[in-house]
Amino acid sequence: MKVHVVQGDIVTSAADVLLVSGLEDGGSLGGAVSAVDDALGGEIRDAITAKEFEGKFQSTLIVRTRGRLSCSHVVVVGLGKKRELTRERLRQCAGVGVKAARLLKARSVASVVFGAGKGECKADEASQAVIEGALLAAYTFDGWKKKKEDAVSLESFTVTEIDRRKMTGVERGASVGEVFASATIHARDLVNESGQHMLPKDLKKNAEAIAKKPRVSAKIMSRAEVKKLGMNAFLAVAQGSENEPYFIHLTYKPKKPAKRSIALVGKGITFDSGGLSLKPSSSMETMKCDMGGAAAVLGVFSQITELEPTVEVHGIIATCENMPSGSAYRPGDTIRAKNGTTIEVLNTDAEGRVTMADSLSYASELEPDAIIDLATLTGACVVALGEEMMGLMTNNGRLAEQVFEAAEESGEEIWELPLYKKYDKLIESKIADVKNIGGSWGGALTAGLFLQKFVDKKIPWVHLDIAGPAFAERDYLSYVPYGGTGAGVRTLLHLLKRFR
Ligand code: BES
Ligand code: ZN
Ligand code: ZN
């Protein structure tokens, strides 16, 4: 969907559907709505008087224009109470508006900047939120369907602002919003593609294509090179599949030499069958999403040149499949990881942490100022926090604080889980330095503790378990439909903007 920003009166717009907004406690109609209402002979006001539309958060009023305006319909979206306005609410309301426009078979939509009125949000922040919500709500993944989701597809979204003084902010916000949405959509597409078409080699190709961007480069290692570097843990997981594994290292260098650097590490299991510790079939149904962490890293890199962070950024992905076969790694195997730590594998389905062991050691050797990893790591995290929240574990409160602030801006939900030292005993192995599963309980915590053994203690590190939010098994929000969500992407982008 193309985004345009214009200065002018929305009443004169030539779009198929107009989006305007109303507050629950708005009193009189705001400028844009009131002009539209005049053209509609006061139908909006009538609906408000009749309490058919009260401005409740995410409610809508749809008015057919019947020739009174050049559009076919006007959609009024309720923003809720003014004091409860947040950027996340604006994102959700823009999503509601776009979903309504899609049902009305619109090709083009013109919208006011929701929430940018007096005493509301800053023009740039509101504009960014509206564009993110609109673009993400317009997202479909229907390339495999004969009958597309929408008979008519939404092609353009025009943000219309009447106040000249707000234009700079609105334009800036809209272009950042486009960057954030594009990066998220990049990740969604990777997750949504079926496992047989999103093999490790496809993630590698994706990284190579991204590396054509200015200031981005890629180092890609195949099995033999990975072996030379001693990444036996990663290779143990990969050995059960006929599809070649790859180790991907993307680097972004800003124009001005950077003072600081950050490594983003993503779990890249393109399909997790469980391996010899085979999953029940119903648990495998969505396991193409097990590269959601890698997809988030690639999503960020897909727009990193546009974002222009001032820090150096590394993107690290060990990608392979977890398959059962005559060559698969077995329960009981002992492997020496890149950093020398030995792992006793007791369950081949706890494979993410085994591959991440080597990618985190690799990241540590780069000596970045921070490491953030994203992994669809444990079902236990989903049990603890539900499907919509990421779990965060950290060795550094200050870095975690920055991640929380970034999440607040992005509207993504993160909850901290403890890196509880005493549970280290649960992953002690009788024959190796560590085993790859804990006891029956606290599975997200023991997974985090396992990862910690492969991170250099001196480096601030945040682990994000995105097993819940990476894949939506139902529509979560107006702008988060079924399927890959791009979880983590927008939080990382906000973090990169503030990390210096
Ligand atoms: N990829 C899964 C975790 C997962 C679960 C991701 C649900 C997304 C949704 C991971 O590799 C896994 O299988 N973990 C096991 C670990 C257990 C064997 C210790 C789990 O959580 O059951
Ligand atoms: Zn698994
Ligand atoms: Zn997995």
Side-chain angles (χ1 to χ4, degrees):
M1 189 164 73
K2 272 224 156 331
V3 172
H4 308 276
V5 183
V6 301
Q7 194 255 323
D9 189 344
I10 195 162
V11 178
T12 62
S13 165
D16 297 335
V17 166
L18 301 189
L19 300 184
V20 293
S21 61
L23 283 163
E24 191 173 342
D25 44 8
S28 61
L29 291 180
V33 198
S34 126
V36 171
D37 190 42
D38 289 345
L40 295 174
E43 267 192 50
I44 299 176
R45 223 174 287 270
D46 287 350
I48 294 173
T49 312
K51 296 211 182 305
E52 282 164 23
F53 179 77
E54 299 178 299
K56 289 221 155 52
F57 176 54
Q58 299 207 73
S59 66
T60 52
L61 170 70
I62 299 178
V63 185
R64 299 188 54 194
T65 62
R66 288 184 277 114
R68 289 169 293 180
L69 283 167
S70 73
C71 58
S72 69
H73 297 82
V74 171
V75 179
V76 191
V77 182
L79 300 183
K81 297 202 171 74
K82 190 167 175 171
R83 64 182 154 78
E84 287 171 7
L85 266 186
T86 57
R87 284 184 261 178
E88 175 55 12
R89 282 199 149 196
L90 296 179
R91 233 174 256 122
Q92 293 180 22
C93 288
V96 165
V98 161
K99 278 177 96 173
R102 282 175 56 187
L103 288 172
L104 296 167
K105 301 193 170 50
R107 276 184 203 285
S108 55
V109 170
S111 177
V112 298
V113 187
F114 293 0
K118 235 199 238 127
E120 299 172 7
C121 300
K122 286 191 205 136
D124 58 341
E125 291 180 355
S127 165
Q128 180 181 347
V130 166
I131 292 298
E132 282 177 19
L135 289 172
L136 293 174
Y139 176 81
T140 53
F141 184 79
D142 54 11
W144 290 97
K145 276 180 181 277
K146 218 185 273 169
K147 190 165 174 283
K148 302 300 171 204
E149 226 173 281
D150 293 353
V152 175
S153 60
L154 189 49
E155 282 155 12
S156 83
F157 188 89
T158 306
V159 191
T160 316
E161 174 57 55
I162 196 149
D163 187 345
R164 245 174 239 287
R165 290 162 307 176
K166 286 193 191 151
M167 280 310 283
T168 324
V170 170
E171 272 167 357
R172 192 177 47 228
S175 75
V176 179
E178 265 193 276
V179 166
F180 277 47
S182 303
T184 309
I185 287 169
H186 187 99
R188 285 184 181 180
D189 280 339
L190 293 175
V191 171
N192 282 329
E193 191 50 89
S194 331
Q196 96 264 37
H197 298 295
M198 195 45 67
L199 295 167
K201 70 166 191 290
D202 298 298
L203 284 185
K204 160 191 167 258
K205 277 188 213 149
N206 199 269
E208 284 167 343
I210 290 170
K212 296 207 164 77
K213 296 174 77 76
R215 298 190 286 289
V216 180
S217 61
K219 181 173 175 198
I220 310 250
M221 287 177 263
S222 56
R223 200 190 291 266
E225 294 158 277
V226 172
K227 176 112 200 104
K228 264 192 226 143
L229 292 185
M231 297 201 223
N232 302 315
F234 168 39
L235 288 181
V237 176
Q239 77 193 32
S241 170
E242 297 194 350
N243 295 303
E244 283 299 304
Y246 291 98
F247 193 87
I248 300 167
H249 176 183
L250 284 165
T251 305
Y252 160 84
K253 287 196 170 81
K255 273 188 204 145
K256 267 205 224 148
K259 289 199 196 77
R260 306 240 291 159
S261 69
I262 184 166
L264 310 176
V265 182
K267 172 172 168 181
I269 303 294
T270 59
F271 181 71
D272 182 11
S273 69
L276 290 176
S277 313
L278 197 65
K279 284 182 186 293
S281 30
S282 65
S283 310
M284 262 185 237
E285 285 172 6
T286 57
M287 278 304 136
K288 66 174 183 185
C289 82
D290 217 16
M291 34 60 79
V297 173
L298 291 169
V300 166
F301 269 85
S302 74
Q303 291 291 320
I304 205 157
T305 312
E306 288 75 6
L307 188 81
E308 288 196 305
T310 56
V311 285
E312 182 172 301
V313 189
H314 297 274
I316 292 155
I317 297 163
T319 178
C320 67
E321 282 188 305
N322 185 24
M323 291 300 212
S325 75
S327 62
Y329 78 142
R330 318 153 189 79
D333 282 3
T334 39
I335 27 188
R336 188 177 307 278
K338 183 175 184 2
N339 76 346
T341 302
T342 56
I343 303 167
E344 181 187 14
V345 175
L346 289 176
N347 189 317
T348 64
D349 194 13
E351 85 299 338
R353 65 197 76 180
V354 180
T355 62
M356 299 284 288
D358 282 341
S359 30
L360 287 168
S361 307
Y362 181 96
S364 295
E365 286 178 18
L366 300 172
E367 298 183 354
D369 296 292
I371 297 177
I372 314 276
D373 83 69
L374 298 97
T376 45
L377 203 65
T378 66
C381 189
V382 194
V383 171
L385 300 177
E387 300 163 274
E388 300 182 24
M389 264 188 189
M390 310 180 207
L392 176 150
M393 296 170 72
T394 187
N395 65 3
N396 186 291
R398 273 189 49 200
L399 179 64
E401 205 41 57
Q402 289 180 293
V403 174
F404 281 123
E405 283 165 15
E408 170 66 31
E409 291 182 291
S410 73
E412 295 192 287
E413 301 289 346
I414 303 186
W415 206 264
E416 184 162 4
L417 300 172
L419 204 53
Y420 185 54
K421 246 199 141 1
K422 281 189 183 163
Y423 284 174
D424 255 338
K425 61 178 177 277
L426 299 175
I427 51 172
E428 273 169 19
S429 159
K430 292 214 164 44
I431 67 162
D433 298 326
V434 65
K435 58 179 178 171
N436 81 329
I437 49 169
S440 309
W441 314 109
L445 312 193
T446 44
L449 287 165
F450 179 96
L451 295 185
Q452 190 178 24
K453 300 200 179 290
F454 302 90
V455 177
D456 185 329
K457 284 190 187 63
K458 296 185 294 296
I459 303 176
W461 160 65
V462 158
H463 158 57
L464 295 172
D465 192 329
I466 59 169
F471 194 90
E473 297 200 39
R474 56 189 164 76
D475 299 357
Y476 282 173
L477 295 171
S478 64
Y479 69 90
V480 186
Y482 170 87
T485 60
V489 171
R490 289 176 304 111
T491 296
L492 288 180
L493 292 173
H494 275 294
L495 181 74
L496 292 183
K497 272 179 73 178
R498 61 170 59 234
F499 198 85
R500 47 187 102 241

